[in-house]
Amino acid sequence: MRVLLTGGSGFIGSHVAVALAAAGHEPLIVDDLSNSRGGVVERIRELARMPIPALVADVRDEASVSEFLAAHGRVDAVVHLAGLKAVGESVADPVRYYDVNLSSTLAVLRLMSAHGIDAMVFSSSATVYGSAGTMPLAEDGAVGAGIANPYGRTKYMIEEILRDVCAAEPSFRCTALRYFNPVGAHPSGLLGEDPLGVPNNLMPVVAKVAGGILDSVSIFGTDYPTRDGTGERDYVHVQDLARGHVRALEELAPGFDAVNLGTGEPASVLDVIRAYGDASGREIPYRLNARRPGDLAVAFADVEKAARELGWTAELTLADACRDDWRWRQATAD
């Protein structure tokens, strides 16, 4: 299967590209490199052991992407990962987030129509569940209500667009993968998460503290009704996520579907700090702060549908993710 990856040099996209190649598929990458470091495509090619074509462009540049697609023959499917993803930034600049995330999806759908591509795996998010309070979060539960930020609302809106496309075009196949909290790195040490600017997610912050770049981790909320009072989330290794994309592509059926990718096991903020400290052999100082508005005490996935429909379950642990992330950071520090 020849597969176009939009945002294919980002954290998740780069791992998906390698996983696709390992499964015998042919990835093509389009990425504007707005949130990835130089040299990622070369490392993807090294791990994939194949000359993966790549175009540096915004997917909204439909003429350039169309020319790229036409130059590489029949493309069977798209994995759509391109878009902005920083929650705090989306609150500060909502217009940019709605513009980029929605218009890039519409551009991809127009390109798919023009090139006769009717299969998509979409990079969605557990944020679409909003303030849903019943755990674990299942795909047949409520979505859309109480989403706390524009980033999450763009993911929900895109899912609705894709539902409408599937309803209008009965042959169109689409699965939205609702990620929980992606962590970890490729075990080779060649690929990992390196967000530009100030990191928004917990593990990159913890890693920067372990590496002496930041002084401490800020913990927001220590009085939640959890095992240790800190918030609990479902941390899924990026290698497991990458496998999930391959399985979703291979199991696509007509219509719209949504599938959670998570472990089904929540871990607390203190669990992550301790696990990363163990992996790095470093002390991880932290500061206790009041809760942030909108944060849930606990959020984790119901993973039965992924097992049933995709034959996928998470295989790697939080300890594995911390070990792989630390290895990658040590390798890139050399």
Side-chain angles (χ1 to χ4, degrees):
M1 191 185 306
R2 187 173 292 123
V3 183
L4 176 68
L5 299 182
T6 70
S9 71
F11 173 44
I12 296 170
S14 59
H15 289 79
V16 172
V18 174
L20 283 170
H25 303 297
E26 300 177 42
L28 310 174
I29 292 173
V30 174
D31 199 304
D32 66 359
L33 306 184
S34 62
N35 196 37
S36 60
R37 307 285 179 176
V40 173
V41 172
E42 288 74 17
R43 294 195 292 275
I44 293 170
R45 289 170 177 155
E46 178 182 346
L47 290 167
R49 298 180 182 177
M50 61 187 297
I52 296 172
L55 172 69
V56 178
D58 189 314
V59 294
R60 294 174 295 175
D61 181 355
E62 294 178 46
S64 295
V65 179
S66 184
E67 183 179 349
F68 178 69
L69 288 170
H72 291 93
R74 169 68 187 176
V75 174
D76 302 292
V78 172
V79 177
H80 180 37
L81 303 115
L84 301 174
K85 64 174 187 176
V87 169
E89 187 179 69
S90 78
V91 174
D93 195 355
V95 172
R96 178 170 175 245
Y97 267 68
Y98 287 116
D99 179 24
V100 171
N101 290 2
L102 298 180
S103 60
S104 63
T105 300
L106 296 173
V108 168
L109 289 168
R110 285 190 292 267
L111 285 161
M112 292 176 69
S113 178
H115 289 268
I117 307 168
D118 63 358
M120 175 189 279
V121 170
F122 170 57
S123 168
S124 192
S125 167
T127 57
V128 301
Y129 291 113
S131 57
T134 302
M135 297 296 153
L137 294 166
E139 294 89 344
D140 59 359
V143 293
I147 299 175
N149 53 76
Y151 161 75
R153 283 189 281 276
T154 66
K155 292 295 188 182
Y156 170 69
M157 290 176 181
I158 292 168
E159 284 197 12
E160 292 299 289
I161 290 169
L162 296 174
R163 286 180 192 274
D164 289 340
V165 171
C166 289
E169 302 177 23
S171 65
F172 200 88
R173 297 169 290 153
C174 180
T175 295
L177 296 177
R178 294 174 178 168
Y179 312 153
F180 278 68
N181 295 71
V183 289
H186 195 275
S188 66
L190 291 176
L191 298 174
E193 185 176 16
D194 192 11
L196 301 179
V198 178
N200 288 272
N201 299 326
L202 176 61
M203 189 168 287
V205 173
V206 174
K208 287 182 180 293
V209 175
I213 299 169
L214 297 176
D215 293 333
S216 62
V217 180
S218 292
I219 298 177
F220 295 96
T222 59
D223 59 348
Y224 287 110
T226 59
R227 289 177 291 106
D228 59 25
T230 65
E232 293 181 341
R233 297 293 183 268
D234 190 335
Y235 296 94
V236 57
H237 199 299
V238 68
Q239 286 288 95
D240 281 329
L241 278 182
R243 286 192 305 104
H245 287 75
V246 176
R247 293 299 302 138
L249 279 168
E250 293 174 344
E251 297 296 330
L252 280 172
F256 178 85
D257 200 9
V259 180
N260 290 337
L261 293 185
T263 66
E265 297 290 337
S268 73
V269 175
L270 287 175
D271 287 335
V272 174
I273 290 172
R274 283 191 290 265
Y276 210 98
D278 291 342
S280 64
R282 307 286 181 89
E283 181 181 355
I284 312 290
Y286 56 84
R287 292 183 290 109
L288 305 179
N289 299 275
R291 298 184 190 186
R292 291 179 299 196
D295 280 355
L296 298 175
V298 181
F300 66 102
D302 184 319
V303 294
E304 290 185 4
K305 187 174 183 180
R308 183 177 67 251
E309 294 192 359
L310 306 183
W312 178 94
T313 57
E315 297 175 355
L316 299 169
T317 66
L318 177 60
D320 294 326
C322 293
R323 179 201 63 221
D324 291 338
D325 187 86
W326 182 244
R327 180 189 298 113
W328 176 75
R329 292 180 189 279
Q330 292 298 99
T332 55
D334 293 340

